Amino acid sequence: MEDAVTPGCIGFPREISRHALGWLTLPSTSAISSRFEGASLSSSGFLCLFGLKGRVPGLHHHNLYYPENYGSEFADIFRDRQWPALPALYVCASSATEPERAADGTGTNLYVLINVPPEVPVYRRTRDGQPAGGTAEAARREREHTYRSLIVRRLAEAWGLPARELEARIEAEAVFGPDYIASRTGAYGGALYGSASHGWRPTFFCPAPADRRIRGLYYAGGSTHPGGGTPMVTLSGINAARLIAARHR
């Protein structure tokens, strides 16, 4: 493997490499897990996608709904490491500006995201080599169902609708939690931005695109320089590509 890495170059979103390639520098899978479980990770997310019959008056393309005590969300996530009791809701309804994105141009499509703590990925295997699951998986599904219902109630309240009416208007839906984010993106625990950026130092000193220990290994993504968000992630990819081109001509 050393010969495959050193002469050439490999690029990865940063959190994929930290977890999936940790065995290059750490002796065992358990060592990798221990290293990241003890780290301060950013928040993850719980995402609900809804397709509604009819339009929602006054709904914009981007919408934010804050609870009365917004600060409690951060205490729940980063201090108590639990899903927030009253999360803020981010709602994207692209059908508000592009009606054709919803059914027949008369419906409403909703992308609803709340912040939740990162979690150990469900795809991680147990010591006997079997996929993790059982009661933990059942509890995860139950929690997702509970929060999906909470989100619907919060939206109904914000829009002045009875919750039952809003439920009846949902024609299609899907939910995705931290385990899905982890398994699809490689972000350890489903942390959306890698390491937590608490304080000023992590904000201004994001990890560089080139690994300091493994020659030819480069990073791009929301957890590396210059940071999270689509424009920043795009810039991180450009930075990594330029560095690779300069070093491996």
Side-chain angles (χ1 to χ4, degrees):
M1 185 65 190
E2 182 178 354
D3 291 339
V5 174
T6 304
C9 58
I10 300 176
F12 285 96
R14 185 164 182 90
E15 295 310 312
I16 290 180
S17 64
R18 281 184 165 182
H19 182 58
L21 297 182
W23 53 269
L24 288 172
T25 54
L26 293 173
S28 67
T29 301
S30 61
I32 299 169
S33 299
S34 297
R35 175 184 174 188
F36 288 97
E37 287 169 8
S40 178
L41 299 175
S42 72
S43 61
S44 184
F46 177 61
L47 171 65
C48 293
L49 304 179
F50 297 116
L52 304 183
K53 178 188 294 185
R55 308 303 293 271
V56 177
L59 193 63
H60 301 284
H61 191 119
H62 299 288
N63 309 266
L64 283 169
Y65 301 95
Y66 291 101
E68 184 175 346
N69 182 8
Y70 183 37
S72 65
E73 175 175 316
F74 295 93
D76 287 341
I77 293 174
F78 294 107
R79 185 190 66 195
D80 302 329
R81 297 195 176 187
Q82 63 184 17
W83 285 37
L86 286 175
L89 308 181
Y90 165 70
V91 179
C92 177
S94 60
S95 57
T97 54
E98 301 172 83
E100 67 276 8
R101 290 186 173 272
D104 301 324
T106 61
T108 301
N109 63 339
L110 300 177
Y111 171 110
V112 187
L113 181 68
I114 66 171
N115 293 319
V116 299
E119 298 175 358
V120 174
V122 168
Y123 62 72
R124 183 176 151 205
R125 294 183 175 272
T126 57
R127 290 186 178 181
D128 60 1
Q130 298 301 314
T135 55
E137 175 69 8
R140 180 186 67 80
R141 291 182 180 275
E142 177 63 25
R143 179 174 57 191
E144 290 186 353
H145 175 74
T146 298
Y147 271 79
R148 174 262 180 212
S149 298
L150 170 64
I151 286 171
V152 171
R153 291 196 303 271
R154 290 276 307 281
L155 291 176
E157 180 182 352
W159 297 338
L161 298 173
R164 288 186 179 182
E165 178 182 331
L166 184 55
E167 285 279 7
R169 290 174 58 180
I170 298 175
E171 296 185 315
E173 66 178 280
V175 300
F176 307 95
D179 68 303
Y180 178 86
I181 296 171
S183 63
R184 289 300 297 270
T185 69
Y188 188 76
L192 296 176
Y193 308 106
S195 301
S197 57
H198 303 319
W200 67 271
R201 186 177 180 84
T203 301
F204 291 98
F205 292 92
C206 293
D211 192 279
R212 295 182 178 181
R213 293 178 294 179
I214 304 175
R215 184 185 172 211
L217 179 61
Y218 298 87
Y219 304 115
S223 59
T224 190
H225 181 78
T230 301
M232 299 297 195
V233 169
T234 302
L235 287 173
S236 77
I238 293 173
N239 291 340
R242 287 175 174 171
L243 195 56
I244 290 170
R247 293 185 177 181
H248 304 275
R249 292 178 177 177

